[in-house]
Structures are given as structure tokens and as C-alpha cells.
């Protein structure tokens, strides 16, 4: 404890001194303490940062004698990413995105992400959609059905048909305030088979949403909010990202996830155009694709490794909580980044209009 | 100083307003020491005293803005000690007039009548009447801040007269006016008092104003009543040292009494029968005559002369350094500064003060 | 004011108003030009030719009009709530002795300078279905879990909570200027307490009420944090749409059109206000104009009935024992309001020291871990220092420009002085979200997006009115005869400024600087747009954290903010001349 206090005090002094040179200050903190080469990585913060530190950052720092400095993505990384490249601000050398983000970045036109130069030994072992020319996925998370076990006990909802059944499953409900995946869930609830979703029957989806609308108490907008909602018991059942639900579960909240139906998305690395550290960045990305290393973050971060051979290294007990575990991944499909990249703007407008009507 | 209850010659008639044993404490400090005072119907009584003497507190207790710590207040024989201010039949004219800035002159004057729910025609009639009385008919639709100070003062008076309260309280109402305006307003108030026959309690710290206006003066000091009486009584027969010093100019001599003489530091002065140890002798400046230095009771040197038209005031320094004021009526030659003079007076002009 | 002017001075007949020049130039360059540009843009299509396509799209989609109506009605409800609660509070403050009032005003203002973000999050924690309040109510046997969040009610409540200090403190000066003797005078003339209040005090306080209403309404129009965090989709407001259009969809035409629509509504409100009260009522007097029109007649009827109702109510209450003396009712009400104001600020203290990974109240255990996380995170410390730096620079710029402009306007005898005054008030009258979008539009063209300088320039713009008004008040109350006296005593012009003028006005200039600092330190909207996600200020970092993480690091950061705000605020209040 004593060392911690002194550490804090030192930082305090640093802060005080830094006020005078406030504009230069961020540089003080991101420069390596020992003059080692620095790789700037931007991840999703929180459990991601903790898990990745154990799995990737520590090992990579040691093996290559570099220092990794971590920053956190904003709620929507795209405007920032665009700014970073447009203004040639070297905020990060490697940045975490999803395939859908990559698609949207490309839609902006212009050259924002570098082509990756990495070698992957066993491409067949990766979950579909994990790797493309700009993107290397390392962690899978899913939008599934979360519910409070103190409300439902063992008789929790299993899929979104149950979710739509307001008689059998009484409780306060929440859905994502976004057409993305919410449209898919509405169609699944209406009986459309998983394999025949695309292209989406939008009118049918809205009709299905009309049925549940009165029973949806909260339309959540952000991940943090969704965690807070289920953790505090404000809601009894909701669509929620698995990582977000797991945060509440790990904190001891009586929450469980039904894996019967859902969609997964992938967090992975991209390298922005203009970084001075291209070589080191590629080396880092390649380092993260290793199955054994990916397995290490799962104790802290409830994401599924993209490399399914990782499960050799993961305890069965923990594995069943992860989206890419063989048992869970059966009910999941990847988010259709292609479809949403094309249709998001128009459908968002229609969805918002529906919300307000 | 003992608390005194003063009864006027008319004590037998039941008073309009009667203050009985009223006392006011703020925390540990006593602002008013159990006071007794009767105000007669139709009289204009002045509460006079230096600032901090408690006169405004007494006024506020009478109109109900402040509640006394103990004691009772009777108006027309009814105990109104704890009657709310708006239910008392009392009018107040405030020092700063307290005209409502967002209402016109007419609306200001109509306000108390509206509060009494008088019919509109009656209100109009009475407002017109009272505006005439104060000669302000032409300003009816103006806002107060478009009026001069004297006009504002008359509006405040009109607003009070319009509902014919049985007692009118005036809290230093002329304090903000210049001298000339003040004097003409004094005459105006006297006229209105005479015309309406209202009972008026008038607060002031200006003794000349008190002497000019009052039927009776209630002189206050340190939360007690020093003296109550007509202006003449108070000026000519001050009951105590405070009265003597506060009202008008006075010269007071102290010393031991022996052989019918008061032995002051500056010489012996003939004493008056009934004097006791500690009493002083008072002579008003206008009663002192200047003579040859050898002939006066006392002698001294003129140090300053102040010319004031109708008379001239001289400051005369006695041997001990004590300064005496002498008033010389116009027409007499004025002793020049530095000349030695003797002071003398008629024994009837002397008053005992204790 | 008669002034002595020596013939030699008469040669320099330049009106002191020229001193407002730099500030006016700044306002035109950074506010009027980009706002006009944005407006211009909204009437073009993507190829650049004149077109109403954007407006057709906006009104055709339906949602934008619906959202505008939402925004308008939420702002209206917030304004009414603020006036109803703020008026008694201001009245209560006005009746206090000077010393105590300063202390209580400090308590009222403290939550005002705390970011709305934090307060809203506190409500999320406190009012949740299984939160403290719900538990208390359940414990008292009043129903099961209570659904308080995510609706119009809580949005209006939280917004009114944020704006209340602004409302109360805008009304306070007017109430203070009312001679309390007038109410007493009314009572001696036969008015009951209710009559005296409604017929005398209330009409006299109307200019303050109107000014407070206008300020709260306009600030509410640009508010998006509370509806986003505490509202349901039905509480979507225009600010949220603007953020989506600009940041996610990069649709400039539509963003411009929405901003124009908001601006038009705001200016329309100002115009109505001007018709009813005279816009100069915000700045000064001019109450000679007596309205005899419809407004006045309605006012008379309203006041008469309010007074009658109060009388009847008082009559009823008189019968109830213990309610004959009712002064304590106002005290109790205001103490309750003060407690409500402070609760969301104070609950961050225990939460910051909590050991759980969530924001919980009350926390289950205590630790310093979240402070360590804060100190060890370059995101947080970097943002904190950037905020300090930007706040210092903006406050300096704003005080310099606003200060000399205030001097010029105060000394000017020109009629243009009033126009200059309104111009300096403009950043307060235009909703800040419109300013932010306009600045983004301008800065994007000159490469100032995602720069610290850009944020600082933006903060300088919005801090200008605050700083200008504080210093202007001082100069207006300054007795210029002192300068003449100094001159007659042999002081040179510089000597007079150095030895007489400056020592007297120094306090308020320092206070203006510190309030400018606070303004920038707490500002989110401009930082959100202009920072571009690259230059994170502390409020922006917190906004992201609220959206992404909601870890108790947020609480730790807010405790640090609370400390900074308290220190700066106390310093500013002390510097202010009494």
C-alpha cells in the first residue's frame, strides 16, 4: 500500500508540473520511460485493456524490447480515425475496429487503413470474417439475450421468440436503439429462419417490432448503459453484447446469457495510414493472432478467441461463457457487415422515425 | 435614569392610543425599556430623539411591523398588540415614501382602497378628492419616478390620507427633502392635520422640526422616554440634562454648592433654591448678556463669531477652557474676536438640570 | 454625468467604443461568418447549386419536425419547472443577510459548475428501479420497484435540476433591487401578505423572471446530454440528431439545415420576448414603458386571482395549528431544494472511493483503486491537463477581449453601444450546439479541427459573454469622477489607470478570468465537435466513459473536478468586489 501511495503522489506532482506545459503534456506520458521504442495501441479499454495486457502487451514488450502505450477508443471510432489520418496526428499505430467499421471507413473514400502484412499459419482455424486485407480479428463478442436469474430462475428465455412472448416471460425489456441486429432479432422472433434473413424483409421486421414495442421499457444506446441496466436490475431481459453482460456477471450480478440465437461481431486490429511504426505494428498484429496467446485474455475478458484452437488452452468451465465455444457458436451468425455498410443510413432514419411515431 | 410615566393634564380622557409597559429586546440588548405613553385623539405627537434612541422601533411596534417583547398596545381602548399589520386602522408615511414604482400615482393612492374592497366609483371619487387636497391632480397618471421629491412625498401622504386611518404614523418623512421644501411641507402637514383632525405620530431627529410641528413632543433617549410635554414645556423647563442639551442650545455649569453659590471652575455663580449636590445650572444662550469683564458672573474671551442674520452667535472661552455660547440679537454691536467680555443673566432664566 | 473636459483632450474625439473592436471582430469571424456559411450551405445541393432539397428531405422525413417539437416542449417544460422552483429560491436568497447569502449562493452555484453529465449519471444510479430511492420507498411500504427513469418526467426533472441555479441567480438581482419596505408599506395600507406579494413584489420582479425564462429556455434548446442519458426515444432532441448527422453520417447539408431551424426558433423566441418585455430588460432598465395591451390585461387578471387564491389558502392554513406562522414553510422548501441540488454532486464522493467495478450507491466497500486507475491512465491525466491548458488560454483570451470591450462599452456615449452589447451576448443567445456545429464547419476548412487551438478558440467564444458581463457590471458601477480626482491630484493618464482604476476593478477582472476558466473547464459540446475525438478534454473523456465504460474512474475524476471547481470558484468569489 505504501508504494502505491507514493506512486500516486509522484503522479500528482507530475500532474502539477504538467499544468504549466499542458499542451505538450500528453507527449510526456506517451513517451517511453526508458527511451525504448513505443508502439501506440488503441483498444476498447476496461476489460479489453486488462485482458490484452496479459495476453499480448506484456509478452510483446518483453520479446521486442518495446513499450506499448494504450489509449481507448471513443464510442464511435470512425470520426476519430478519420481525423487522425486526415490531420496526420499519430494518436495510435494500431487501432481496434470491427469489420463493420472497416466497411464504413472504406465507404468514406480515401485511403485510411493500411493493407496488413502479416502471416497466419493456420487460416482455416479462424472464425468466419476474422481476417481481411485491412483487418485481423482477435476477439469475438456476440449480441445475445441476457436476463436476470433472480427474476426468471431456471426458466429463463432461450431465444427471441421467448423474448417477444410477453405473457410467458413477464419483466422489463430492453432492446438496442439501432436497426443493426435489432431488425434481425425481430425477424427471428417472427419465425424467419437464421439462414434466410438476408436481404432483410424490412417491412416484416417493423411489423414484428410493432408487436413488442409497448413492452420495451428502455431502448439502450450505449454499451455502458446496457451493462448498467442489467447490473442494477433496471431491466429483466434485454438484447445485450456478451462482453457487456459478462462484466455484470463477473461483478456478481444475477445475470445469465441465452446463447440460443444471436449475432457475433469481431474486434480486431487495423493499422492507420501514416503511422511511422508500420513494421512494428504489423509484427504486433501477427503476434496477436496466436491461439495460445488469445486464450490468455479469456480469464479477464469474456470474448471468444477468433482462433478456435485456443479452446485447447481454456478451462471448460470458462469456455462455456464464451461466444466462440463450440456449444455456443452454433446458434450465432456473424454480423453482416456488407449488408449494414450499405443500408445503415437509410434504415437508421426509418428506424428513428418509427421510434418517434 | 429612571423610567417615567408622564401624564398630560388631559389624562382623565381615554387616550386614542396607549402604550403600556412596551419593551423590546433583540437578543441580549434591550432597545426599548418598558415604556408608557398616551396619545390623545387629534393631536400631533412627535417622537424625537437621536438615532438609536428607539423611536423608530416604537413606531414599528405601534404599526405592527415589529412585535414587542412584552407590554401591551391599546388603540381606542382595544388591545391590538398582536393584531396583524394589515388589519390595524393605521396609516404610515415612510421615510423613503415607499411608493410602488410600477403603479401610477392614481394606482398608488387607490391601492389601500382596493385592499378594502371599496367599489370602483367610490375609489375614483376619493382618489380625486385627496389628489386635490395635496395639489397633485395633474400628476394622476404619472409613475412615481417622474415626480420630484416633494411631489413624491405628497403622494405618500395622500395614499395614507385617502383611507382615513384613525392614526397616522410618519417616519422621518421629510428627511430626504432640502431645507426650503421641508419647511413648506411642514406647513402643509400642519394644514392637513388641522383639516382632517387626524391623530398623527411623527418621528424625527430634527428638534427644530419637532418644535415647529408638534402639539406635544415625546423626547426619547437610549430606549427610555426622557420627557413628554408641549414644545414650550420642553424647551423652557427641561426635566433633565439630556432634555436641556438635546433641545436647543444650552450652557450648563457644574460645581459644589456652598453658601447659595455654585462654585464652578471658572468662578462662583448664584445658585437657585432647591438645588442638590450633583445638579447643574442651565442658561440658554439668548438669556446671556455681555458686559464689562469685571461686572459679569463670569468672564472670558471671544474666540469665534457666527453671523446668522436675525442674530449672531459668539463663542466665549472661559478660564478653564470651557466654551460658552452667547446669542446676540441683531442690532447690537458685535464684540470682536479676542475681546474680553463678562457674562451675566437674570436669575429667572436659570434652570436646574439633573 | 457632467465631466470636465480640457480643451486639449477634445481633439481626440474617438469614441471609446473602438476598444470593443477586437472582440467584435472575433465574434464576427468565429460566430457570424460560420453560422451564415452553414445557413448558406443548407440551401445548396451536393454539387453546390441553389436547392431546397435538404429542406425537402428534412421536412419530408417527418422525424426532424417531430424532434424539433420534442426539443421545444422539453425546453418549455424545463423553463416552467425552473421558474416555479427557482423563484421561491431566489426570493429566499434575497431575504437573507448579505453574508449568509454569499455562502448559500456558493452552494447553489457549485452544482451548476459540475458537468451535467455527472449529475445525470448520478440520477441514473439513484433513481434506478433497484436504486436507493426505490429501496427507501419500498421500505416505507409504498409500492414495489418504482420506474422513475427513461421518460419525460425524469428528463425534465434532470434538466431543470441543471438549469435551476442559472434561473435562480438570474432572478436574484431583480429581487434584491426591490425595496423590501414596499411590501411592508403595502401591509400598512391594508394588504394581506398574499396581496402584498402578488400586487407589489411579483410585478416588480417580472423583468428578472422573464430574463431567467429566456436564458433557461435557450440553454435547454441546445441540451442533448440529459435526453440522451435519461430519456426514452420519445425524448429525442435536436442536439442528438445534429451529433449523428455531423459525426456519423458527415451530412453537412442536413446538419446545416437542422442548425438553421433551431436558430430560427431561438431568434423567434427572442423576438417574442422583446415584444413582451423589451430585450434591453436583460441588460438594464427602461421600465418607463407601461404596457397597456393584452399582456398587461392578462397580467392584471392573473395577479388578482393569484392574490385571491393565496388569501383563501392562507385562511384555510390559519386554522391548522402550527401553520399560523408560515415563514418556515419557505425555509423548509428551499432547504429541500438545496439538498436536491447537492445530492448528485455529493454522491460521487463515496462512489469514487468504492471498491466495486460499477458505480453503486451506497458502495459495498471502499478503496483507492479508482484514483490509482485515474492517475495511471494517460487518457485521463492527459485529458485533465489539456483541459487545464485550454481553460487557461481561453480564459486569458476572453478576459483580454471582453475586458477592454466592457471598458469601451461602459465609457461609450454612442448609441451603437447597445448593439455591441447584444453582439457580445450572442454566444449566450445562440444554442451552443449550433455554435459547435458552425465552428466545426469553419475549422474543418482551415485545419483547426482536432487541434487544441481550435477548442481554445471555441471556448473563448462561448466564455466571452460571461466574462464581458462580469467586467461590464463593474465598469458601469465605477465612479469615473475618481479618475478625474486623480487627474486633479496630478496623476498622469497611465498613473491613474495603474494606481486608481486597476486596483478598484482588479477583483472583478480576476473573477471574470476564473469564471471564464470554469466555463471552459466544464464545456463539452464544442470539445466534442472540434476536438474530433483526437484532442480529448476532461469532459469529453468523461462523456466517452459514460457511453463506453461507466467505471468508477469516472467518479474519481469527478471528485477531482469537484475539487478544482471548488477551489477556482472560491477564489473567484473572493476576488469579486463586494
Amino acid at each position: 500500500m505504501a508504494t502505491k501511495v507514493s506512486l500516486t503522489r509522484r503522479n500528482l506532482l507530475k500532474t502539477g508540473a504538467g499544468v504549466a506545459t499542458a499542451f505538450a503534456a500528453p507527449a510526456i506520458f506517451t513517451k517511453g520511460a526508458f527511451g525504448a521504442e513505443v508502439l501506440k495501441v488503441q483498444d476498447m479499454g476496461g476489460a479489453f485493456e486488462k485482458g490484452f495486457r496479459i495476453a499480448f502487451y506484456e509478452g510483446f514488450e518483453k520479446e521486442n524490447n518495446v513499450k506499448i502505450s494504450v489509449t481507448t477508443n471513443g464510442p464511435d471510432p470512425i470520426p476519430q480515425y478519420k481525423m487522425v489520418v486526415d490531420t496526420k496526428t499519430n494518436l495510435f499505430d494500431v487501432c481496434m475496429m470491427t469489420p463493420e467499421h472497416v466497411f464504413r471507413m472504406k465507404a468514406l473514400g480515401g485511403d485510411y487503413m493500411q493493407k496488413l502484412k502479416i502471416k497466419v499459419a493456420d487460416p482455416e482455424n479462424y472464425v468466419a470474417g476474422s481476417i481481411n486485407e485491412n483487418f485481423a480479428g482477435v476477439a469475438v463478442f456476440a449480441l445475445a439475450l441476457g436476463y436476470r436469474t433472480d427474476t426468471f430462475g431456471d426458466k429463463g428465455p432461450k431465444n427471441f421468440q421467448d423474448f417477444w412472448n410477453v405473457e410467458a416471460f413477464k419483466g422489463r425489456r430492453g432492446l438496442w436503439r439501432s436497426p443493426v441486429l435489432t431488425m434481425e432479432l425481430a425477424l427471428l422472433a417472427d419465425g424467419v429462419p437464421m439462414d434466410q434473413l438476408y436481404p432483410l424483409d424490412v417491412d416484416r421486421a417493423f411489423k414484428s417490432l410493432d408487436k413488442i414495442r409497448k413492452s420495451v421499457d428502455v431502448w439502450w444506446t450505449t454499451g455502458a448503459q446496457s451493462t448498467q441496466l442489467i447490473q442494477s436490475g433496471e431491466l429483466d431481459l434485454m438484447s445485450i453484447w456478451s462482453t457487456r453482460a459478462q462484466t455484470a456477471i463477473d461483478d456478481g450480478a444475477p445475470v445469465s446469457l441465452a446463447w440460443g440465437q444471436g449475432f457475433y461481431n469481431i474486434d480486431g486490429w487495423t493499422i492507420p495510414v501514416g503511422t511511422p511504426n508500420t513494421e512494428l505494428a504489423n509484427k504486433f498484429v501477427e503476434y496477436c493472432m496466436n491461439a495460445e496467446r488469445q486464450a490468455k485474455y479469456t480469464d479477464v475478458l469474456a470474448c471468444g478467441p477468433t482462433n478456435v484452437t485456443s479452446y485447447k488452452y481454456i478451462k471448460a468451465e470458462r469456455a462455456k461463457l464464451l461466444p466462440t465455444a463450440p456449444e455456443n457458436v452454433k446458434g450465432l451468425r456473424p454480423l453482416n457487415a456488407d449488408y449494414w455498410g450499405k443500408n445503415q443510413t437509410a434504415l437508421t432514419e426509418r428506424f428513428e422515425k418509427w421510434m418517434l411515431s | 435614569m429612571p423610567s417615567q410615566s408622564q401624564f398630560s393634564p388631559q389624562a382623565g380622557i381615554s387616550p386614542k392610543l396607549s402604550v403600556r409597559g412596551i419593551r423590546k429586546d433583540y437578543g441580549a440588548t434591550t432597545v426599548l425599556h418598558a415604556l408608557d405613553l398616551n396619545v390623545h385623539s387629534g393631536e400631533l405627537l412627535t417622537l424625537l430623539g437621536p438615532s438609536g434612541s428607539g423611536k423608530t422601533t416604537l413606531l414599528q411596534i405601534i404599526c405592527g411591523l415589529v412585535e414587542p417583547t412584552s407590554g401591551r398596545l391599546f388603540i381606542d381602548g382595544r388591545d391590538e398588540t398582536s393584531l396583524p399589520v394589515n388589519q390595524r386602522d393605521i396609516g404610515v408615511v415612510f421615510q423613503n415614501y415607499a411608493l410602488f414604482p410600477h403603479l401610477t400615482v392614481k394606482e398608488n393612492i387607490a391601492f389601500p382602497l382596493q385592499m378594502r374592497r371599496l367599489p370602483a366609483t367610490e375609489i375614483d371619487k376619493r382618489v380625486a378628492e385627496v389628489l386635490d387636497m395635496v395639489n397633485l391632480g395633474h400628476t394622476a397618471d404619472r409613475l412615481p419616478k417622474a415626480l420630484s421629491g416633494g411631489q413624491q412625498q405628497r403622494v405618500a401622504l395622500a395614499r395614507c390620507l385617502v383611507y382615513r386611518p384613525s392614526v397616522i404614523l410618519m417616519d422621518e418623512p421629510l428627511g430626504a427633502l432640502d431645507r426650503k421644501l421641508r419647511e413648506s411641507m411642514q406647513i402643509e402637514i400642519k394644514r392637513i392635520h388641522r383639516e382632517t383632525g387626524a391623530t398623527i405620530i411623527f418621528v424625527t431627529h430634527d428638534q427644530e422640526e419637532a418644535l415647529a410641528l408638534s402639539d406635544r413632543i415625546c423626547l426619547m433617549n437610549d430606549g427610555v422616554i426622557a420627557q413628554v410635554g408641549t414644545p414650550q414645556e420642553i424647551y423652557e423647563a427641561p426635566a433633565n440634562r439630556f432634555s436641556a442639551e438635546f433641545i436647543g442650545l444650552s450652557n450648563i455649569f457644574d460645581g459644589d454648592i456652598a453658601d447659595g453659590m455654585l462654585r464652578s471652575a471658572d468662578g462662583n455663580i448664584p445658585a437657585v433654591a432647591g438645588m442638590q449636590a450633583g445638579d447643574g445650572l442651565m442658561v440658554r444662550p439668548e438669556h446671556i448678556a455681555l458686559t464689562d469683564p469685571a461686572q459679569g458672573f463670569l468672564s472670558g474671551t471671544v474666540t469665534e463669531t457666527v453671523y446668522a442674520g436675525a442674530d449672531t452667535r459668539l463663542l466665549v472661552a472661559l478660564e478653564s477652557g470651557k466654551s460658552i455660547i452667547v446669542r446676540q440679537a441683531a442690532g447690537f454691536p458685535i464684540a470682536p474676536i479676542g475681546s474680553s467680555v463678562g457674562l451675566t443673566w437674570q436669575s429667572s432664566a436659570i434652570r436646574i438640570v439633573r | 454625468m457632467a465631466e470636465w473636459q480640457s480643451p486639449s483632450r477634445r481633439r481626440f474625439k474617438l469614441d471609446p467604443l473602438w476598444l470593443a473592436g477586437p472582440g467584435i471582430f472575433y465574434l464576427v469571424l468565429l460566430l457570424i461568418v460560420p453560422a451564415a456559411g452553414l445557413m448558406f450551405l443548407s440551401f445548396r445541393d451536393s454539387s453546390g447549386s441553389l436547392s431546397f432539397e435538404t429542406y425537402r428531405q428534412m421536412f419530408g422525413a417527418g422525424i426532424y419536425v417531430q424532434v424539433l417539437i420534442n426539443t421545444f416542449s422539453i425546453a418549455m417544460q424545463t423553463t416552467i419547472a425552473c421558474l416555479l422552483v427557482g423563484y421561491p429560491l431566489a426570493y429566499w436568497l434575497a431575504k437573507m443577510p448579505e453574508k449568509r447569502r454569499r455562502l448559500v449562493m456558493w452552494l447553489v452555484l457549485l452544482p451548476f459548475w459540475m458537468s451535467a453529465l455527472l449529475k445525470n449519471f448520478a440520477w441514473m444510479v439513484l433513481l434506478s428501479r433497484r436504486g436507493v430511492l426505490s429501496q427507501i420507498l419500498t421500505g416505507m411500504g409504498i409500492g414495489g420497484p418504482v420506474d422513475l427513469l427513461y421518460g419525460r418526467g425524469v428528463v425534465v426533472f434532470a434538466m431543470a435540476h441543471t438549469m435551476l441555479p442559472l434561473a435562480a441567480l438570474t432572478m436574484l438581482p431583480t429581487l434584491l433591487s426591490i425595496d423590501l419596505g414596499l411590501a411592508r408599506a403595502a401591509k400598512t395600507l391594508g394588504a394581506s401578505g398574499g396581496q402584498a406579494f402578488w400586487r407589489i413584489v411579483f410585478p416588480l420582479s417580472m423583468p428578472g423572471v422573464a430574463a431567467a425564462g429566456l436564458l433557461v429556455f435557450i440553454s435547454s434548446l441546445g441540451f442533448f446530454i440529459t435526453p440522451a442519458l435519461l430519456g426514452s426515444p420519445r425524448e429525442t432532441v435536436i442536439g442528438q440528431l445534429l451529433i449523428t448527422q455531423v459525426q456519423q453520417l458527415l451530412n453537412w447539408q442536413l446538419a446545416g439545415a437542422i442548425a438553421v431551424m433551431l436558430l430560427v426558433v431561438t431568434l423567434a423566441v427572442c423576438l417574442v420576448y422583446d415584444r413582451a418585455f423589451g430585450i434591453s430588460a436583460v441588460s438594464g432598465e427602461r421600465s418607463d414603458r407601461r404596457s397597456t395591451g393584452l399582456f398587461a390585461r392578462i397580467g392584471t387578471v392573473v395577479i388578482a386571482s393569484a392574490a385571491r387564491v393565496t388569501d383563501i389558502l392562507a385562511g384555510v392554513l390559519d386554522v391548522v395549528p402550527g401553520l399560523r406562522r408560515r415563514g418556515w414553510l419557505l425555509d423548509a422548501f428551499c432547504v429541500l431544494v438545496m439538498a436536491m441540488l447537492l445530492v448528485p454532486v455529493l454522491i460521487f464522493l463515496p462512489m469514487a472511493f468504492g471498491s466495486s467495478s460499477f458505480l453503486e450507491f451506497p458502495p459495498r466497500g471502499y478503496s483507492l483503486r479508482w484514483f490509482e486507475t485515474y492517475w495511471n491512465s494517460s487518457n485521463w491525466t492527459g485529458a485533465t491537463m489539456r483541459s487545464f491548458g485550454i481553460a487557461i488560454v481561453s480564459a486569458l483570451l476572453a478576459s483580454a477581449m471582453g475586458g477592454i470591450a466592457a471598458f469601451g462599452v461602459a465609457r461609450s456615449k454612442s448609441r451603437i453601444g447597445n448593439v455591441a452589447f447584444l453582439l457580445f451576448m450572442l454566444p449566450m443567445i445562440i444554442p451552443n450546439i449550433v455554435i459547435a456545429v458552425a465552428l466545426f464547419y469553419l475549422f474543418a476548412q482551415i485545419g483547426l479541427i482536432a487541434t487544441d487551438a481550435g477548442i481554445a478558440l471555441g471556448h473563448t467564444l462561448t466564455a466571452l459573454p460571461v466574462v464581458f458581463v462580469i467586467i461590464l457590471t463593474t465598469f458601469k458601477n465605477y465612479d469615473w469622477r475618481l479618475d478625474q480626482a486623480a487627474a486633479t491630484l496630478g496623476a498622469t493618464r497611465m498613473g491613474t489607470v495603474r494606481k486608481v482604476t486597476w486596483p478598484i476593478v482588479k477583483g472583478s477582472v480576476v473573477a471574470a478570468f476564473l469564471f471564464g476558466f470554469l466555463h471552459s473547464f466544464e464545456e463539452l459540446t464544442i470539445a466534442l465537435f472540434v476536438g474530433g475525438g483526437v484532442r480529448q478534454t476532461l469532459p469529453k473523456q468523461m462523456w466517452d466513459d459514460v457511453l463506453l465504460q461507466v467505471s468508477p474512474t469516472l467518479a474519481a475524476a469527478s471528485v477531482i473536478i469537484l475539487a478544482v471547481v471548488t477551489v477556482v470558484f472560491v477564489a473567484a468569489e473572493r476576488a469579486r468586489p463586494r
Side-chain angles (χ1 to χ4, degrees), chain C residues 59-121:
Chain C
F59 289 107
I63 78 166
Y64 299 102
V65 175
Q66 178 61 44
V67 167
L68 186 71
I69 293 170
N70 273 353
T71 311
F72 200 88
S73 78
I74 289 175
M76 205 67 210
Q77 287 163 338
T78 304
T79 307
I80 291 169
C82 273
L83 294 182
L84 286 182
V85 180
Y87 192 92
L89 187 64
Y91 187 75
W92 187 61
L93 282 167
K95 291 212 311 189
M96 274 181 190
E98 170 82 17
K99 261 200 173 157
R100 185 155 15 124
R101 181 166 58 239
R102 284 192 161 265
L103 184 75
V104 177
M105 268 170 65
W106 179 72
L107 288 176
V108 173
L109 272 173
L110 193 61
F112 182 66
W113 291 110
M114 288 294 294
S115 130
L117 213 57
L118 287 180
K119 286 179 279 186
N120 289 336
F121 209 81

Side-chain angles (χ1 to χ4, degrees), chain A residues 8 11 15 22-23 44 72-73 76 79-80 148 150 172 177 222 224 232-234 236 244 251 349 353, chain C residues 61 63-64 128-130 147 150 233 236 247-248 358 364 375-376 379 385 449 452 533 546-550:
Chain A
T8 307
N11 274 314
T15 310
F23 284 99
M44 301 300 292
T72 307
N73 255 340
D76 184 353
Q80 187 193 41
R148 294 279 295 195
D150 54 350
R172 282 168 61 86
R177 186 176 173 180
T222 69
S232 66
E234 185 74 25
D236 298 307
R244 295 294 182 176
D251 193 59
E349 202 160 81
K353 198 170 158 187
Chain C
I63 78 166
Y64 299 102
S128 77
R129 194 158 61 118
R130 303 191 192 196
D147 300 330
Y150 311 113
T236 305
Q247 297 228 297
Q248 290 182 9
F358 285 93
R364 283 175 279 183
W375 290 122
N376 294 325
N379 280 348
M385 276 176 285
I449 295 295
D452 293 324
V546 163
L547 298 185
L548 263 176
Q549 303 275 149
V550 193

Side-chain angles (χ1 to χ4, degrees), chain A residues 181-234:
Chain A
L181 296 186
T182 303
M183 305 291 285
E184 280 95 328
L185 296 182
L187 289 170
L188 287 176
D190 207 38
V192 178
M194 198 59 132
D195 304 329
Q196 294 164 30
L197 285 171
Y198 300 98
L200 298 178
D201 182 344
V202 177
D203 293 331
R204 184 171 174 184
F206 276 113
K207 259 183 214 136
S208 175
L209 282 173
D210 280 336
K211 290 182 201 155
I212 191 84
R213 175 186 196 139
K214 274 206 187 87
S215 309
V216 177
D217 298 280
V218 181
W219 292 88
W220 57 268
T221 51
T222 69
Q225 191 193 7
S226 67
T227 311
Q228 187 81 18
L229 288 167
I230 197 83
Q231 192 265 346
S232 66
E234 185 74 25

Side-chain angles (χ1 to χ4, degrees), chain C residues 266-324:
Chain C
T266 308
L267 293 180
V269 169
C270 287
L271 220 68
V272 170
Y273 176 90
D274 187 39
R275 294 233 53 137
F277 304 102
I279 198 104
S280 47
V282 180
S283 62
E285 60 243 78
R286 224 189 100 128
S287 54
D288 278 348
R289 190 179 71 173
R290 272 178 61 79
S291 45
T292 44
L294 185 65
F295 277 119
R297 235 171 296 158
I298 295 173
T300 313
V301 173
V302 168
I303 282 171
S305 13
R308 191 63 62 85
V309 168
T310 314
D311 278 353
I312 293 169
L313 205 66
V316 174
L317 286 179
D318 274 345
V319 183
V320 184
L323 285 180
R324 251 195 88 75

Side-chain angles (χ1 to χ4, degrees), chain C residues 134 137-139 141-146:
Chain C
S134 184
L137 290 178
T138 315
I142 308 169
V146 199

